[in-house]
Short mmCIF file of all heavy atoms in Angstrom, two decimals:
data_model
loop_
_atom_site.label_atom_id
_atom_site.label_comp_id
_atom_site.label_asym_id
_atom_site.label_seq_id
_atom_site.Cartn_x
_atom_site.Cartn_y
_atom_site.Cartn_z
N SER E 2 96.21 113.71 109.80
CA SER E 2 97.64 113.54 109.97
C SER E 2 98.45 114.77 109.54
O SER E 2 99.66 114.75 109.64
CB SER E 2 98.11 112.31 109.18
OG SER E 2 97.75 112.46 107.83
N LYS E 7 103.82 127.33 113.83
CA LYS E 7 103.74 128.78 113.82
C LYS E 7 104.78 129.39 112.88
O LYS E 7 104.73 130.57 112.58
CB LYS E 7 103.90 129.33 115.24
CG LYS E 7 102.70 129.02 116.11
CD LYS E 7 102.82 129.63 117.49
CE LYS E 7 101.56 129.33 118.27
NZ LYS E 7 101.62 129.86 119.64
N HIS E 9 105.07 128.36 109.85
CA HIS E 9 104.47 128.17 108.52
C HIS E 9 105.01 126.96 107.77
O HIS E 9 105.15 126.98 106.55
CB HIS E 9 104.56 129.46 107.69
CG HIS E 9 103.98 130.65 108.39
ND1 HIS E 9 102.62 130.82 108.56
CD2 HIS E 9 104.58 131.68 109.02
CE1 HIS E 9 102.42 131.94 109.25
NE2 HIS E 9 103.58 132.47 109.55
N ALA E 20 107.60 111.10 107.75
CA ALA E 20 106.63 112.19 107.74
C ALA E 20 107.12 113.26 106.77
O ALA E 20 108.31 113.59 106.73
CB ALA E 20 106.48 112.77 109.15
N HIS E 27 100.37 129.87 102.76
CA HIS E 27 100.58 131.22 103.30
C HIS E 27 102.05 131.63 103.18
O HIS E 27 102.36 132.76 102.78
CB HIS E 27 100.13 131.28 104.76
CG HIS E 27 100.40 132.60 105.42
ND1 HIS E 27 99.56 133.69 105.27
CD2 HIS E 27 101.41 133.01 106.22
CE1 HIS E 27 100.06 134.70 105.95
NE2 HIS E 27 101.18 134.32 106.54
N GLY E 33 106.70 134.95 97.69
CA GLY E 33 106.70 135.23 96.26
C GLY E 33 107.40 134.10 95.52
O GLY E 33 107.49 132.98 96.02
N VAL E 38 116.23 126.57 96.96
CA VAL E 38 116.01 125.92 98.25
C VAL E 38 117.29 125.23 98.69
O VAL E 38 118.02 124.67 97.88
CB VAL E 38 114.85 124.89 98.22
CG1 VAL E 38 113.53 125.57 97.97
CG2 VAL E 38 115.09 123.81 97.20
N GLY E 50 112.19 122.90 116.05
CA GLY E 50 112.52 124.32 116.06
C GLY E 50 113.86 124.67 115.45
O GLY E 50 114.13 125.84 115.19
N ALA E 63 114.08 132.85 103.74
CA ALA E 63 113.47 132.45 105.01
C ALA E 63 113.99 131.08 105.41
O ALA E 63 114.23 130.22 104.57
CB ALA E 63 111.95 132.41 104.87
N PRO E 68 109.40 121.10 112.28
CA PRO E 68 108.18 121.16 113.08
C PRO E 68 108.19 120.15 114.24
O PRO E 68 107.48 120.31 115.22
CB PRO E 68 107.07 120.85 112.08
CG PRO E 68 107.74 120.16 110.95
CD PRO E 68 109.17 120.62 110.94
N VAL E 76 115.16 113.88 100.96
CA VAL E 76 114.90 115.26 100.53
C VAL E 76 114.29 115.22 99.14
O VAL E 76 114.46 114.26 98.40
CB VAL E 76 116.17 116.15 100.55
CG1 VAL E 76 116.70 116.31 101.96
CG2 VAL E 76 117.23 115.62 99.61
N ALA E 79 113.52 116.85 93.31
CA ALA E 79 112.77 117.56 92.27
C ALA E 79 112.63 119.04 92.64
O ALA E 79 112.71 119.91 91.78
CB ALA E 79 111.40 116.92 92.05
N ASN E 82 115.84 120.88 92.02
CA ASN E 82 116.02 121.14 90.59
C ASN E 82 115.01 122.16 90.04
O ASN E 82 115.28 122.82 89.05
CB ASN E 82 115.91 119.83 89.80
CG ASN E 82 117.02 118.86 90.15
OD1 ASN E 82 118.12 119.27 90.48
ND2 ASN E 82 116.72 117.58 90.10
N ASP E 83 113.85 122.24 90.68
CA ASP E 83 112.78 123.15 90.24
C ASP E 83 112.13 123.79 91.46
O ASP E 83 111.04 123.39 91.88
CB ASP E 83 111.75 122.40 89.40
CG ASP E 83 110.65 123.31 88.85
OD1 ASP E 83 110.74 124.55 89.04
OD2 ASP E 83 109.71 122.79 88.24
N SER E 89 103.98 126.43 93.02
CA SER E 89 102.91 125.85 92.22
C SER E 89 102.17 124.72 92.93
O SER E 89 100.99 124.51 92.67
CB SER E 89 103.45 125.37 90.87
OG SER E 89 104.40 124.33 91.07
N TRP E 96 106.95 119.49 98.40
CA TRP E 96 107.43 119.14 99.75
C TRP E 96 108.94 119.30 99.82
O TRP E 96 109.64 119.28 98.81
CB TRP E 96 106.98 117.73 100.14
CG TRP E 96 107.50 116.62 99.26
CD1 TRP E 96 106.94 116.18 98.09
CD2 TRP E 96 108.67 115.82 99.45
NE1 TRP E 96 107.69 115.16 97.56
CE2 TRP E 96 108.75 114.91 98.38
CE3 TRP E 96 109.66 115.77 100.44
CZ2 TRP E 96 109.78 113.97 98.26
CZ3 TRP E 96 110.67 114.84 100.33
CH2 TRP E 96 110.72 113.94 99.25
N GLN E 107 105.19 115.40 119.96
CA GLN E 107 105.38 116.80 119.58
C GLN E 107 104.31 117.26 118.58
O GLN E 107 104.01 118.45 118.49
CB GLN E 107 106.77 117.01 118.98
CG GLN E 107 107.88 116.90 120.00
CD GLN E 107 109.25 117.03 119.36
OE1 GLN E 107 109.45 116.72 118.18
NE2 GLN E 107 110.21 117.46 120.15
N LEU E 108 103.72 116.33 117.87
CA LEU E 108 102.65 116.68 116.92
C LEU E 108 101.49 117.35 117.65
O LEU E 108 100.81 118.20 117.09
CB LEU E 108 102.17 115.44 116.16
CG LEU E 108 103.17 114.80 115.21
CD1 LEU E 108 102.67 113.44 114.75
CD2 LEU E 108 103.46 115.71 114.03
N GLU E 114 94.41 122.34 110.71
CA GLU E 114 94.22 123.26 109.58
C GLU E 114 93.38 124.48 109.97
O GLU E 114 93.72 125.62 109.63
CB GLU E 114 93.59 122.54 108.40
CG GLU E 114 93.49 123.43 107.17
CD GLU E 114 93.00 122.68 105.93
OE1 GLU E 114 92.56 121.53 106.05
OE2 GLU E 114 93.09 123.27 104.84
#
Side-chain angles (χ1 to χ4, degrees):
S2 57
K7 290 183 177 178
H9 306 287
H27 176 81
V38 294
V76 296
N82 296 329
D83 183 5
S89 63
W96 62 274
Q107 290 176 333
L108 294 168
E114 185 174 11

